[in-house]
Amino acid sequence: MIIEELTESEKQYYYMEQCHQWVDEQSQVLGRPLKAAVITFGCQMNARDSEKLTGILEKIGYEMTDSETADFVIYNTCTVRENANTRVYGRLGHLKMLKRKNPAMLIALCGCMMQEPEVVEKLKKSYRHVDIIFGTHNIFKFAELIYQRITEKKMVVDIWKDTEQIVEDLPNDRKYSFKTGINIMFGCNNFCSYCIVPYVRGRERSRQPEDIIREIEAAVADGVVEIMLLGQNVNSYGKNLEQPISFAELLRQICRIEGLERVRFMTSHPKDLSDELIQVMAEEPKICRHLHLPLQSGSTEILRKMNRKYTKDDYLKLVDKIRSACPDISLTTDIIVGFPGETEEDFLETMDVVKKVGYDSAYTFIYSKRTGTPAAAMEEQISKEVIKDRFNRLLEEVQTIAAKVCARHEGEVQDVLVEEVNQQDSSLVSGRLSNNTVVHFKGDASLIGKIVPVKLESCKNFYYMGQM
Ligand code: SF4
């Protein structure tokens, strides 16, 4: 067999076989099965990538565990915030100690943090106990990199600056049997001035619609009823394809899949959320009644500095359009407080949008300088005291409004997708409405993965207590 003649996924399955033989030999020597742990930091994109890493490790013959005392430990890293890196270095020190006790242990690092050249140089110099380092663009090569490490017996470093390549049909092990994330595209071309993602996830590239449909059909055949379509900015889906297709058109095709009950998606950038998409959301009942629409700031001047490409008015007009087409939609958002140069007037603009929109919930962040982004070099960094004060005022406003907005469905009967037995009270189960609000009600584990009608009896600020 000539490896070069194989497709990329065939090649990777070949390396999985080779690694499996090695794992079998090791477990015979140790007289026990080998264990592996995938530790995930960061966003849903990373969580989905970790399901792929887990699928490959299982295919190679490892048994999965959550414990870092495993024989193979991989950190899927995040680098959105400066302190995320510090935490990883700290934990690598702990792994060094564990490796002294288990010399057969292998340690791997991947994810966004590895796309930073200075990080990789530091790891190569001061963390020689790490065995494999790769980035966000070549996750599909995981088995080949493990094979390289076990055959060459030295640290393997394989970081790609960028890629056009998307490799399909590799193993993956979903965290949930009834729902899953589906990548529709990778990378981001927006270059918001505070964000490191475009530098570590590369340029936008979309998967072929037929590959996405095929993956969803296979997941539905395997028991999935709800999917989350993932992309840094799903609105840009399809633009780089030979036959461009809009995100709205892709959604229509996905909603035709038999057995699929619910479709969610994130993240939708306000700058290019199309009328076509709003129309599809209004017409397709499978599309969940929840939209995450990051605002970041309500001040047009700060939005300009953030390079967000929309104004306060654009955003409010868009919300009106969405609300008139989908009156029952729940809106959530992301807001950054303390961006360089933010004045009290700018902050009050943000508070004004929060009052006008009435979000079901909002992720509020204190601006964190991220080396390597244009914003990090900006003058007028705001003092901690001022940021803290604004953050607390914003949080109070958001939570007060959210508690009222969230309660609008009290007394109604709505469908809930049951996700788990309640961790605090095992006589209850917990699930989500189409608008993503959590509901707890009497039930048992046999309901997990099922969509059941529940009477929403009382709203407790951000969740409901109900009765099936
Ligand atoms: S849209 Fe902006 S904030 Fe989102 S990933 Fe891209 S650059 Fe970052």
mmCIF file of all heavy atoms in Angstrom, residues 375-419:
data_model
loop_
_atom_site.group_PDB
_atom_site.id
_atom_site.type_symbol
_atom_site.label_atom_id
_atom_site.label_comp_id
_atom_site.label_asym_id
_atom_site.label_seq_id
_atom_site.Cartn_x
_atom_site.Cartn_y
_atom_site.Cartn_z
ATOM 1 N N ALA A 375 -6.352 46.421 19.579
ATOM 2 C CA ALA A 375 -6.867 47.132 20.763
ATOM 3 C C ALA A 375 -5.834 47.174 21.893
ATOM 4 O O ALA A 375 -5.783 48.118 22.675
ATOM 5 C CB ALA A 375 -8.145 46.465 21.250
ATOM 6 N N ALA A 376 -4.961 46.170 21.940
ATOM 7 C CA ALA A 376 -3.964 46.104 23.020
ATOM 8 C C ALA A 376 -2.998 47.276 22.942
ATOM 9 O O ALA A 376 -2.434 47.709 23.949
ATOM 10 C CB ALA A 376 -3.204 44.787 22.935
ATOM 11 N N ALA A 377 -2.854 47.830 21.739
ATOM 12 C CA ALA A 377 -1.906 48.948 21.560
ATOM 13 C C ALA A 377 -2.607 50.298 21.680
ATOM 14 O O ALA A 377 -1.976 51.345 21.595
ATOM 15 C CB ALA A 377 -1.246 48.821 20.182
ATOM 16 N N MET A 378 -3.919 50.255 21.898
ATOM 17 C CA MET A 378 -4.665 51.527 21.941
ATOM 18 C C MET A 378 -4.382 52.291 23.231
ATOM 19 O O MET A 378 -4.145 51.690 24.288
ATOM 20 C CB MET A 378 -6.178 51.264 21.827
ATOM 21 C CG MET A 378 -6.632 50.890 20.425
ATOM 22 S SD MET A 378 -8.421 50.639 20.382
ATOM 23 C CE MET A 378 -8.620 50.051 18.702
ATOM 24 N N GLU A 379 -4.390 53.647 23.102
ATOM 25 C CA GLU A 379 -4.221 54.511 24.283
ATOM 26 C C GLU A 379 -5.481 54.402 25.144
ATOM 27 O O GLU A 379 -6.393 53.648 24.829
ATOM 28 C CB GLU A 379 -4.115 55.980 23.800
ATOM 29 C CG GLU A 379 -3.022 56.233 22.773
ATOM 30 C CD GLU A 379 -1.623 56.029 23.415
ATOM 31 O OE1 GLU A 379 -1.479 56.487 24.558
ATOM 32 O OE2 GLU A 379 -0.797 55.335 22.788
ATOM 33 N N GLU A 380 -5.532 55.210 26.209
ATOM 34 C CA GLU A 380 -6.754 55.358 27.032
ATOM 35 C C GLU A 380 -7.274 54.019 27.563
ATOM 36 O O GLU A 380 -8.463 53.726 27.455
ATOM 37 C CB GLU A 380 -7.856 56.047 26.232
ATOM 38 C CG GLU A 380 -7.501 57.438 25.707
ATOM 39 C CD GLU A 380 -8.591 57.900 24.760
ATOM 40 O OE1 GLU A 380 -8.594 57.400 23.602
ATOM 41 O OE2 GLU A 380 -9.457 58.681 25.181
ATOM 42 N N GLN A 381 -6.380 53.168 28.056
ATOM 43 C CA GLN A 381 -6.844 51.975 28.751
ATOM 44 C C GLN A 381 -7.567 52.461 30.015
ATOM 45 O O GLN A 381 -7.099 53.373 30.682
ATOM 46 C CB GLN A 381 -5.651 51.070 29.089
ATOM 47 C CG GLN A 381 -4.845 50.620 27.864
ATOM 48 C CD GLN A 381 -5.500 49.513 27.040
ATOM 49 O OE1 GLN A 381 -6.310 48.752 27.588
ATOM 50 N NE2 GLN A 381 -5.208 49.456 25.738
ATOM 51 N N ILE A 382 -8.727 51.892 30.349
ATOM 52 C CA ILE A 382 -9.565 52.380 31.448
ATOM 53 C C ILE A 382 -9.106 51.801 32.788
ATOM 54 O O ILE A 382 -8.682 50.650 32.842
ATOM 55 C CB ILE A 382 -11.031 51.953 31.227
ATOM 56 C CG1 ILE A 382 -11.470 52.237 29.778
ATOM 57 C CG2 ILE A 382 -11.953 52.606 32.223
ATOM 58 C CD1 ILE A 382 -11.865 53.647 29.474
ATOM 59 N N SER A 383 -9.244 52.586 33.886
ATOM 60 C CA SER A 383 -8.795 52.098 35.201
ATOM 61 C C SER A 383 -9.695 50.980 35.708
ATOM 62 O O SER A 383 -10.884 50.918 35.361
ATOM 63 C CB SER A 383 -8.850 53.235 36.233
ATOM 64 O OG SER A 383 -10.207 53.452 36.589
ATOM 65 N N LYS A 384 -9.104 50.104 36.523
ATOM 66 C CA LYS A 384 -9.849 48.952 37.051
ATOM 67 C C LYS A 384 -11.088 49.390 37.833
ATOM 68 O O LYS A 384 -12.161 48.793 37.702
ATOM 69 C CB LYS A 384 -8.940 48.130 37.977
ATOM 70 C CG LYS A 384 -7.952 47.229 37.226
ATOM 71 C CD LYS A 384 -7.458 46.094 38.153
ATOM 72 C CE LYS A 384 -6.638 45.030 37.421
ATOM 73 N NZ LYS A 384 -5.684 45.516 36.438
ATOM 74 N N GLU A 385 -10.965 50.455 38.624
ATOM 75 C CA GLU A 385 -12.090 50.887 39.474
ATOM 76 C C GLU A 385 -13.276 51.288 38.591
ATOM 77 O O GLU A 385 -14.411 50.854 38.816
ATOM 78 C CB GLU A 385 -11.704 52.081 40.356
ATOM 79 C CG GLU A 385 -10.560 51.794 41.339
ATOM 80 C CD GLU A 385 -9.242 51.597 40.570
ATOM 81 O OE1 GLU A 385 -8.975 52.381 39.619
ATOM 82 O OE2 GLU A 385 -8.537 50.622 40.871
ATOM 83 N N VAL A 386 -12.984 52.085 37.576
ATOM 84 C CA VAL A 386 -14.070 52.553 36.687
ATOM 85 C C VAL A 386 -14.724 51.350 35.999
ATOM 86 O O VAL A 386 -15.951 51.229 35.955
ATOM 87 C CB VAL A 386 -13.514 53.539 35.632
ATOM 88 C CG1 VAL A 386 -14.571 53.842 34.568
ATOM 89 C CG2 VAL A 386 -13.030 54.820 36.286
ATOM 90 N N ILE A 387 -13.890 50.420 35.510
ATOM 91 C CA ILE A 387 -14.444 49.238 34.817
ATOM 92 C C ILE A 387 -15.326 48.439 35.776
ATOM 93 O O ILE A 387 -16.446 48.036 35.437
ATOM 94 C CB ILE A 387 -13.315 48.353 34.258
ATOM 95 C CG1 ILE A 387 -12.562 49.067 33.134
ATOM 96 C CG2 ILE A 387 -13.868 47.031 33.757
ATOM 97 C CD1 ILE A 387 -11.447 48.222 32.506
ATOM 98 N N LYS A 388 -14.830 48.229 36.988
ATOM 99 C CA LYS A 388 -15.578 47.419 37.974
ATOM 100 C C LYS A 388 -16.942 48.054 38.237
ATOM 101 O O LYS A 388 -17.975 47.377 38.229
ATOM 102 C CB LYS A 388 -14.764 47.347 39.270
ATOM 103 C CG LYS A 388 -15.198 46.236 40.206
ATOM 104 C CD LYS A 388 -14.423 44.949 39.905
ATOM 105 C CE LYS A 388 -15.096 43.751 40.535
ATOM 106 N NZ LYS A 388 -16.292 43.269 39.755
ATOM 107 N N ASP A 389 -16.933 49.373 38.420
ATOM 108 C CA ASP A 389 -18.189 50.083 38.704
ATOM 109 C C ASP A 389 -19.172 49.905 37.548
ATOM 110 O O ASP A 389 -20.333 49.534 37.755
ATOM 111 C CB ASP A 389 -17.900 51.576 38.936
ATOM 112 C CG ASP A 389 -19.162 52.416 38.844
ATOM 113 O OD1 ASP A 389 -20.082 52.173 39.659
ATOM 114 O OD2 ASP A 389 -19.260 53.231 37.881
ATOM 115 N N ARG A 390 -18.689 50.096 36.321
ATOM 116 C CA ARG A 390 -19.576 49.969 35.156
ATOM 117 C C ARG A 390 -20.066 48.528 35.016
ATOM 118 O O ARG A 390 -21.244 48.277 34.743
ATOM 119 C CB ARG A 390 -18.839 50.403 33.877
ATOM 120 C CG ARG A 390 -18.609 51.897 33.797
ATOM 121 C CD ARG A 390 -17.836 52.305 32.566
ATOM 122 N NE ARG A 390 -17.543 53.735 32.589
ATOM 123 C CZ ARG A 390 -16.639 54.309 31.793
ATOM 124 N NH1 ARG A 390 -15.951 53.571 30.914
ATOM 125 N NH2 ARG A 390 -16.424 55.614 31.877
ATOM 126 N N PHE A 391 -19.150 47.573 35.259
ATOM 127 C CA PHE A 391 -19.512 46.162 35.115
ATOM 128 C C PHE A 391 -20.651 45.816 36.070
ATOM 129 O O PHE A 391 -21.636 45.192 35.680
ATOM 130 C CB PHE A 391 -18.296 45.278 35.400
ATOM 131 C CG PHE A 391 -18.529 43.816 35.171
ATOM 132 C CD1 PHE A 391 -18.529 43.297 33.888
ATOM 133 C CD2 PHE A 391 -18.807 42.967 36.239
ATOM 134 C CE1 PHE A 391 -18.769 41.944 33.669
ATOM 135 C CE2 PHE A 391 -19.051 41.617 36.026
ATOM 136 C CZ PHE A 391 -19.028 41.107 34.741
ATOM 137 N N ASN A 392 -20.541 46.276 37.309
ATOM 138 C CA ASN A 392 -21.599 45.971 38.294
ATOM 139 C C ASN A 392 -22.924 46.625 37.911
ATOM 140 O O ASN A 392 -23.976 46.002 38.019
ATOM 141 C CB ASN A 392 -21.149 46.441 39.682
ATOM 142 C CG ASN A 392 -19.980 45.603 40.176
ATOM 143 O OD1 ASN A 392 -19.746 44.503 39.685
ATOM 144 N ND2 ASN A 392 -19.200 46.161 41.097
ATOM 145 N N ARG A 393 -22.886 47.836 37.421
ATOM 146 C CA ARG A 393 -24.128 48.514 37.023
ATOM 147 C C ARG A 393 -24.775 47.789 35.857
ATOM 148 O O ARG A 393 -25.988 47.576 35.815
ATOM 149 C CB ARG A 393 -23.841 49.977 36.661
ATOM 150 C CG ARG A 393 -23.527 50.867 37.860
ATOM 151 C CD ARG A 393 -22.658 52.039 37.517
ATOM 152 N NE ARG A 393 -23.252 52.930 36.495
ATOM 153 C CZ ARG A 393 -22.551 53.850 35.817
ATOM 154 N NH1 ARG A 393 -21.214 53.962 36.049
ATOM 155 N NH2 ARG A 393 -23.125 54.633 34.927
ATOM 156 N N LEU A 394 -23.933 47.370 34.903
ATOM 157 C CA LEU A 394 -24.457 46.657 33.727
ATOM 158 C C LEU A 394 -25.089 45.335 34.147
ATOM 159 O O LEU A 394 -26.215 44.999 33.753
ATOM 160 C CB LEU A 394 -23.342 46.394 32.719
ATOM 161 C CG LEU A 394 -23.722 45.556 31.495
ATOM 162 C CD1 LEU A 394 -24.698 46.307 30.591
ATOM 163 C CD2 LEU A 394 -22.488 45.131 30.712
ATOM 164 N N LEU A 395 -24.360 44.596 34.992
ATOM 165 C CA LEU A 395 -24.846 43.277 35.416
ATOM 166 C C LEU A 395 -26.213 43.412 36.095
ATOM 167 O O LEU A 395 -27.147 42.673 35.790
ATOM 168 C CB LEU A 395 -23.833 42.669 36.385
ATOM 169 C CG LEU A 395 -23.810 41.148 36.498
ATOM 170 C CD1 LEU A 395 -23.612 40.518 35.138
ATOM 171 C CD2 LEU A 395 -22.714 40.708 37.462
ATOM 172 N N GLU A 396 -26.330 44.406 36.953
ATOM 173 C CA GLU A 396 -27.597 44.591 37.675
ATOM 174 C C GLU A 396 -28.727 44.892 36.682
ATOM 175 O O GLU A 396 -29.796 44.270 36.736
ATOM 176 C CB GLU A 396 -27.440 45.735 38.672
ATOM 177 C CG GLU A 396 -28.549 45.747 39.720
ATOM 178 C CD GLU A 396 -28.496 47.046 40.527
ATOM 179 O OE1 GLU A 396 -27.362 47.552 40.710
ATOM 180 O OE2 GLU A 396 -29.568 47.543 40.892
ATOM 181 N N GLU A 397 -28.449 45.747 35.726
ATOM 182 C CA GLU A 397 -29.469 46.115 34.720
ATOM 183 C C GLU A 397 -29.872 44.884 33.910
ATOM 184 O O GLU A 397 -31.048 44.573 33.747
ATOM 185 C CB GLU A 397 -28.899 47.190 33.785
ATOM 186 C CG GLU A 397 -29.916 47.763 32.821
ATOM 187 C CD GLU A 397 -30.912 48.665 33.523
ATOM 188 O OE1 GLU A 397 -30.489 49.424 34.424
ATOM 189 O OE2 GLU A 397 -32.115 48.576 33.224
ATOM 190 N N VAL A 398 -28.870 44.159 33.432
ATOM 191 C CA VAL A 398 -29.137 42.975 32.592
ATOM 192 C C VAL A 398 -29.963 41.949 33.367
ATOM 193 O O VAL A 398 -30.961 41.426 32.874
ATOM 194 C CB VAL A 398 -27.801 42.345 32.125
ATOM 195 C CG1 VAL A 398 -28.019 40.926 31.629
ATOM 196 C CG2 VAL A 398 -27.147 43.185 31.041
ATOM 197 N N GLN A 399 -29.564 41.691 34.619
ATOM 198 C CA GLN A 399 -30.253 40.653 35.398
ATOM 199 C C GLN A 399 -31.682 41.067 35.769
ATOM 200 O O GLN A 399 -32.605 40.254 35.738
ATOM 201 C CB GLN A 399 -29.422 40.309 36.633
ATOM 202 C CG GLN A 399 -28.137 39.568 36.244
ATOM 203 C CD GLN A 399 -27.274 39.226 37.442
ATOM 204 O OE1 GLN A 399 -27.448 39.793 38.520
ATOM 205 N NE2 GLN A 399 -26.339 38.306 37.233
ATOM 206 N N THR A 400 -31.865 42.344 36.075
ATOM 207 C CA THR A 400 -33.217 42.813 36.424
ATOM 208 C C THR A 400 -34.150 42.648 35.224
ATOM 209 O O THR A 400 -35.253 42.104 35.345
ATOM 210 C CB THR A 400 -33.145 44.299 36.836
ATOM 211 O OG1 THR A 400 -32.113 44.443 37.803
ATOM 212 C CG2 THR A 400 -34.478 44.789 37.354
ATOM 213 N N ILE A 401 -33.669 43.077 34.072
ATOM 214 C CA ILE A 401 -34.499 42.972 32.855
ATOM 215 C C ILE A 401 -34.723 41.500 32.498
ATOM 216 O O ILE A 401 -35.853 41.070 32.226
ATOM 217 C CB ILE A 401 -33.822 43.711 31.682
ATOM 218 C CG1 ILE A 401 -33.799 45.216 31.942
ATOM 219 C CG2 ILE A 401 -34.506 43.382 30.366
ATOM 220 C CD1 ILE A 401 -33.007 46.016 30.914
ATOM 221 N N ALA A 402 -33.650 40.696 32.545
ATOM 222 C CA ALA A 402 -33.743 39.287 32.142
ATOM 223 C C ALA A 402 -34.761 38.529 32.992
ATOM 224 O O ALA A 402 -35.534 37.726 32.475
ATOM 225 C CB ALA A 402 -32.375 38.640 32.245
ATOM 226 N N ALA A 403 -34.783 38.813 34.294
ATOM 227 C CA ALA A 403 -35.725 38.104 35.170
ATOM 228 C C ALA A 403 -37.165 38.367 34.730
ATOM 229 O O ALA A 403 -37.997 37.459 34.681
ATOM 230 C CB ALA A 403 -35.505 38.550 36.611
ATOM 231 N N LYS A 404 -37.446 39.628 34.328
ATOM 232 C CA LYS A 404 -38.815 39.966 33.866
ATOM 233 C C LYS A 404 -39.088 39.299 32.508
ATOM 234 O O LYS A 404 -40.078 38.599 32.317
ATOM 235 C CB LYS A 404 -38.943 41.483 33.709
ATOM 236 C CG LYS A 404 -39.152 42.227 35.019
ATOM 237 C CD LYS A 404 -39.766 43.618 34.800
ATOM 238 C CE LYS A 404 -39.183 44.614 35.829
ATOM 239 N NZ LYS A 404 -37.934 45.282 35.284
ATOM 240 N N VAL A 405 -38.154 39.478 31.597
ATOM 241 C CA VAL A 405 -38.345 38.977 30.222
ATOM 242 C C VAL A 405 -38.503 37.458 30.229
ATOM 243 O O VAL A 405 -39.380 36.896 29.581
ATOM 244 C CB VAL A 405 -37.134 39.385 29.336
ATOM 245 C CG1 VAL A 405 -37.177 38.670 27.999
ATOM 246 C CG2 VAL A 405 -37.093 40.880 29.149
ATOM 247 N N CYS A 406 -37.689 36.813 31.044
ATOM 248 C CA CYS A 406 -37.679 35.340 31.068
ATOM 249 C C CYS A 406 -39.024 34.784 31.528
ATOM 250 O O CYS A 406 -39.458 33.730 31.080
ATOM 251 C CB CYS A 406 -36.567 34.879 32.016
ATOM 252 S SG CYS A 406 -36.232 33.126 31.864
ATOM 253 N N ALA A 407 -39.744 35.552 32.366
ATOM 254 C CA ALA A 407 -40.990 35.056 32.977
ATOM 255 C C ALA A 407 -42.207 35.157 32.056
ATOM 256 O O ALA A 407 -43.296 34.709 32.421
ATOM 257 C CB ALA A 407 -41.264 35.844 34.261
ATOM 258 N N ARG A 408 -42.019 35.630 30.805
ATOM 259 C CA ARG A 408 -43.175 35.901 29.945
ATOM 260 C C ARG A 408 -43.948 34.649 29.544
ATOM 261 O O ARG A 408 -45.057 34.739 29.046
ATOM 262 C CB ARG A 408 -42.737 36.684 28.698
ATOM 263 C CG ARG A 408 -41.815 35.952 27.736
ATOM 264 C CD ARG A 408 -41.280 36.918 26.682
ATOM 265 N NE ARG A 408 -40.415 36.330 25.673
ATOM 266 C CZ ARG A 408 -39.144 35.997 25.885
ATOM 267 N NH1 ARG A 408 -38.601 36.149 27.077
ATOM 268 N NH2 ARG A 408 -38.417 35.482 24.894
ATOM 269 N N HIS A 409 -43.366 33.488 29.745
ATOM 270 C CA HIS A 409 -44.065 32.255 29.324
ATOM 271 C C HIS A 409 -44.711 31.512 30.492
ATOM 272 O O HIS A 409 -45.176 30.385 30.329
ATOM 273 C CB HIS A 409 -43.063 31.327 28.615
ATOM 274 C CG HIS A 409 -42.481 31.926 27.383
ATOM 275 N ND1 HIS A 409 -43.240 32.252 26.278
ATOM 276 C CD2 HIS A 409 -41.209 32.303 27.081
ATOM 277 C CE1 HIS A 409 -42.467 32.776 25.333
ATOM 278 N NE2 HIS A 409 -41.229 32.828 25.807
ATOM 279 N N GLU A 410 -44.747 32.156 31.679
ATOM 280 C CA GLU A 410 -45.302 31.481 32.865
ATOM 281 C C GLU A 410 -46.740 31.032 32.580
ATOM 282 O O GLU A 410 -47.521 31.782 31.985
ATOM 283 C CB GLU A 410 -45.271 32.424 34.061
ATOM 284 C CG GLU A 410 -44.915 31.722 35.379
ATOM 285 C CD GLU A 410 -44.531 32.734 36.458
ATOM 286 O OE1 GLU A 410 -45.306 33.695 36.622
ATOM 287 O OE2 GLU A 410 -43.462 32.565 37.086
ATOM 288 N N GLY A 411 -47.040 29.797 32.924
ATOM 289 C CA GLY A 411 -48.402 29.267 32.742
ATOM 290 C C GLY A 411 -48.601 28.555 31.416
ATOM 291 O O GLY A 411 -49.557 27.803 31.235
ATOM 292 N N GLU A 412 -47.664 28.776 30.469
ATOM 293 C CA GLU A 412 -47.826 28.130 29.157
ATOM 294 C C GLU A 412 -47.339 26.673 29.211
ATOM 295 O O GLU A 412 -46.611 26.286 30.123
ATOM 296 C CB GLU A 412 -46.995 28.870 28.097
ATOM 297 C CG GLU A 412 -47.454 30.298 27.797
ATOM 298 C CD GLU A 412 -46.492 31.001 26.816
ATOM 299 O OE1 GLU A 412 -45.645 30.298 26.182
ATOM 300 O OE2 GLU A 412 -46.556 32.249 26.749
ATOM 301 N N VAL A 413 -47.765 25.877 28.213
ATOM 302 C CA VAL A 413 -47.229 24.526 28.024
ATOM 303 C C VAL A 413 -46.287 24.599 26.825
ATOM 304 O O VAL A 413 -46.684 25.072 25.753
ATOM 305 C CB VAL A 413 -48.350 23.501 27.764
ATOM 306 C CG1 VAL A 413 -47.742 22.141 27.407
ATOM 307 C CG2 VAL A 413 -49.259 23.393 28.980
ATOM 308 N N GLN A 414 -45.023 24.228 27.030
ATOM 309 C CA GLN A 414 -44.072 24.275 25.929
ATOM 310 C C GLN A 414 -43.253 22.984 25.902
ATOM 311 O O GLN A 414 -43.143 22.290 26.913
ATOM 312 C CB GLN A 414 -43.128 25.459 26.083
ATOM 313 C CG GLN A 414 -43.765 26.826 25.843
ATOM 314 C CD GLN A 414 -42.721 27.864 25.430
ATOM 315 O OE1 GLN A 414 -41.580 27.504 25.095
ATOM 316 N NE2 GLN A 414 -43.112 29.128 25.462
ATOM 317 N N ASP A 415 -42.678 22.689 24.728
ATOM 318 C CA ASP A 415 -41.853 21.486 24.584
ATOM 319 C C ASP A 415 -40.485 21.694 25.224
ATOM 320 O O ASP A 415 -39.872 22.750 25.072
ATOM 321 C CB ASP A 415 -41.666 21.144 23.092
ATOM 322 C CG ASP A 415 -42.916 20.505 22.517
ATOM 323 O OD1 ASP A 415 -43.788 20.093 23.321
ATOM 324 O OD2 ASP A 415 -43.024 20.426 21.276
ATOM 325 N N VAL A 416 -40.032 20.669 25.930
ATOM 326 C CA VAL A 416 -38.714 20.695 26.575
ATOM 327 C C VAL A 416 -37.914 19.493 26.082
ATOM 328 O O VAL A 416 -38.432 18.368 26.072
ATOM 329 C CB VAL A 416 -38.862 20.620 28.113
ATOM 330 C CG1 VAL A 416 -37.496 20.466 28.776
ATOM 331 C CG2 VAL A 416 -39.583 21.843 28.664
ATOM 332 N N LEU A 417 -36.673 19.725 25.661
ATOM 333 C CA LEU A 417 -35.771 18.605 25.350
ATOM 334 C C LEU A 417 -35.055 18.261 26.651
ATOM 335 O O LEU A 417 -34.295 19.065 27.183
ATOM 336 C CB LEU A 417 -34.761 18.990 24.277
ATOM 337 C CG LEU A 417 -33.638 17.972 24.016
ATOM 338 C CD1 LEU A 417 -34.174 16.593 23.685
ATOM 339 C CD2 LEU A 417 -32.696 18.456 22.923
ATOM 340 N N VAL A 418 -35.328 17.055 27.182
ATOM 341 C CA VAL A 418 -34.758 16.664 28.471
ATOM 342 C C VAL A 418 -33.282 16.308 28.299
ATOM 343 O O VAL A 418 -32.944 15.500 27.441
ATOM 344 C CB VAL A 418 -35.535 15.483 29.075
ATOM 345 C CG1 VAL A 418 -34.956 15.100 30.439
ATOM 346 C CG2 VAL A 418 -37.018 15.823 29.199
ATOM 347 N N GLU A 419 -32.412 16.954 29.105
ATOM 348 C CA GLU A 419 -30.971 16.768 28.907
ATOM 349 C C GLU A 419 -30.316 15.908 29.985
ATOM 350 O O GLU A 419 -29.350 15.205 29.720
ATOM 351 C CB GLU A 419 -30.291 18.139 28.853
ATOM 352 C CG GLU A 419 -30.795 19.004 27.704
ATOM 353 C CD GLU A 419 -29.814 20.101 27.304
ATOM 354 O OE1 GLU A 419 -28.855 20.322 28.069
ATOM 355 O OE2 GLU A 419 -29.977 20.668 26.215
#
